[in-house]
Amino acid sequence: MSHPYRHQPPRAFWKGAVADVHLADMTDLWDPIELSRSDRIATAGSCFAQHIGRNLALRGANYMDMEPAPPVFEDSEQARRFGYGVFSCRYGNVYTSRQLLQLVGEALDKRAPSTLVWEKDGRYFDALRPGIDPVGLESAEDVVASREGHVAAVREMLLSLDVLVFTMGLTESWVTEDGTFLPSAPGAIAGTYDPDRVSFHNLGYREVRSDIESAFAQIKAVNPGARMLLTVSPVPLVATATGEHVLPATTYSKSVLRAVAGDLAKQHDDIGYFPSYEIISGHPSRGMFFNPDLRTVNGFGVDLVMKHFFSGALAAEFASAPEEEDEGDFEIICDEEANESV
């Protein structure tokens, strides 16, 4: 007798697609988006997005770097510690959907957040990207001027990109009195924590979905051909402010983000989803792709994610990364880690 599953492809069945296949031999985990070497690709998001951007650049993609490092640094690693070459613009970690929405709105003159300058030991920091400069600037005016140049670069990126790869990382955030969502808690990197001036907020499904759809609609209004590729970071929360144990708090955040990403990809032809989260965190991996801290992803895991990303038509379009490049030696810039020292 016939039934609805009889004509499904092999990848639809757990036994043949997962249980009877070595993890390294799994195939067809996603349907790669159409991508050519001429497509201008930008990245933003959580820490894990840095791996995608790096590998795109190594494989010859037209990867956008809108704020290149000035020639004052000894090497690229030193420049990265000052926010250069980490993402396509020097915005630092864009952990939440609300951060993305606010950044797009600011760049496209849809929103003007109050000036947020944090101070630490006589130096000054941009509260919306406090981790980009480990030593800070000499004055609040310098911070404002630096941000004006940064926002202009973001605007240029949004107007000219073909694909934005956004890695969704967190739902938890701290919010100022005017509704501005911050990338880190005040006092963790710089600034001072004042419970009367900031509050904690944990974004829900409807909020995250509305944020992403609104941000993408604003981009499409000025760049009709723009596409978006969503991923979810497999990296667990370093800490939670919900009062819960960090394990279920992590599960909540990742579940919300994964549900939103999947629904948007299904309902929008110009939004795709790549399953980096499932590759690393799914139980077929048996946790082997996490370092001993059970949080950061090791080089083997990153290599497998990239193998799946550059599969299908993308494998032919983009050459393999140079063998001398070792993911294990690549330093990830992660502002969230400062929460552990609060």
Side-chain angles (χ1 to χ4, degrees), residues 68-83:
V72 298
F73 299 104
E74 294 180 358
D75 52 36
S76 61
E77 288 306 307
Q78 185 184 67
R80 282 175 58 79
R81 297 187 187 100
F82 284 79

Side-chain angles (χ1 to χ4, degrees), residues 216-276:
F216 192 48
Q218 290 183 33
I219 296 171
K220 295 281 284 186
V222 297
N223 183 354
R227 293 177 287 151
M228 178 179 282
L229 179 64
L230 297 173
T231 69
V232 175
S233 170
V235 179
L237 278 64
V238 72
T240 180
T242 60
E244 301 175 1
H245 190 286
V246 69
L247 181 57
T250 292
T251 301
Y252 169 83
S253 287
K254 302 301 180 180
S255 298
V256 167
L257 300 176
R258 175 60 182 90
V260 169
D263 285 350
L264 290 179
K266 288 180 180 178
Q267 297 176 22
H268 295 269
D269 292 338
D270 44 12
I271 297 179
Y273 173 72
F274 172 66
S276 56

Side-chain angles (χ1 to χ4, degrees), residues 67-135:
E67 295 185 84
V72 298
F73 299 104
E74 294 180 358
D75 52 36
S76 61
E77 288 306 307
Q78 185 184 67
R80 282 175 58 79
R81 297 187 187 100
F82 284 79
Y84 293 100
V86 180
F87 299 102
S88 290
C89 285
R90 200 169 168 237
Y91 25 62
N93 295 124
V94 181
Y95 283 117
T96 66
S97 59
R98 191 64 52 85
Q99 280 180 262
L100 176 66
L101 176 60
Q102 292 178 163
L103 180 63
V104 170
E106 185 179 3
L108 299 180
D109 298 323
K110 301 292 185 180
R111 182 181 189 273
S114 59
T115 302
L116 293 170
V117 179
W118 283 347
E119 184 271 339
K120 180 180 180 181
D121 299 330
R123 304 291 291 182
Y124 297 86
F125 300 78
D126 185 340
L128 299 182
R129 47 178 191 152
I132 64 162
D133 191 334
V135 299

Side-chain angles (χ1 to χ4, degrees), residues 11-240:
R11 70 176 183 176
F13 298 91
W14 186 269
K15 185 177 186 299
V18 179
D20 292 345
V21 180
H22 190 280
L23 186 64
D25 296 326
M26 285 187 187
T27 59
D28 297 328
L29 284 178
W30 79 308
D31 297 315
I33 62 172
E34 292 185 9
L35 205 61
S36 70
R37 286 182 175 270
S38 62
D39 285 329
R40 292 159 294 188
I41 308 169
T43 60
S46 72
C47 312
F48 199 78
Q50 297 167 46
H51 291 297
I52 296 176
R54 175 176 183 264
N55 276 269
L56 283 166
L58 287 173
R59 293 168 184 260
N62 189 5
Y63 180 67
M64 304 178 75
D65 183 2
M66 306 303 294
E67 295 185 84
V72 298
F73 299 104
E74 294 180 358
D75 52 36
S76 61
E77 288 306 307
Q78 185 184 67
R80 282 175 58 79
R81 297 187 187 100
F82 284 79
Y84 293 100
V86 180
F87 299 102
S88 290
C89 285
R90 200 169 168 237
Y91 25 62
N93 295 124
V94 181
Y95 283 117
T96 66
S97 59
R98 191 64 52 85
Q99 280 180 262
L100 176 66
L101 176 60
Q102 292 178 163
L103 180 63
V104 170
E106 185 179 3
L108 299 180
D109 298 323
K110 301 292 185 180
R111 182 181 189 273
S114 59
T115 302
L116 293 170
V117 179
W118 283 347
E119 184 271 339
K120 180 180 180 181
D121 299 330
R123 304 291 291 182
Y124 297 86
F125 300 78
D126 185 340
L128 299 182
R129 47 178 191 152
I132 64 162
D133 191 334
V135 299
L137 298 176
E138 292 187 358
S139 69
E141 292 75 17
D142 288 341
V143 173
V144 173
S146 175
R147 181 155 194 86
E148 288 176 352
H150 164 65
V151 171
V154 175
R155 176 179 174 83
E156 184 180 353
M157 179 192 79
L158 297 178
L159 291 172
S160 58
L161 62 80
D162 292 305
V163 179
L164 173 62
V165 181
F166 181 58
T167 299
M168 306 161 75
L170 303 176
T171 56
E172 296 188 17
S173 188
W174 292 89
V175 190
T176 67
E177 293 171 294
D178 75 338
T180 298
F181 276 59
L182 302 169
S184 66
I189 296 176
T192 303
Y193 172 58
D194 182 350
D196 293 327
R197 302 189 65 181
V198 296
S199 59
F200 174 74
H201 186 81
N202 200 9
L203 293 162
Y205 173 92
R206 291 182 180 86
E207 292 175 299
V208 175
R209 177 163 180 167
S210 175
D211 290 345
I212 300 294
E213 287 187 311
S214 296
F216 192 48
Q218 290 183 33
I219 296 171
K220 295 281 284 186
V222 297
N223 183 354
R227 293 177 287 151
M228 178 179 282
L229 179 64
L230 297 173
T231 69
V232 175
S233 170
V235 179
L237 278 64
V238 72
T240 180

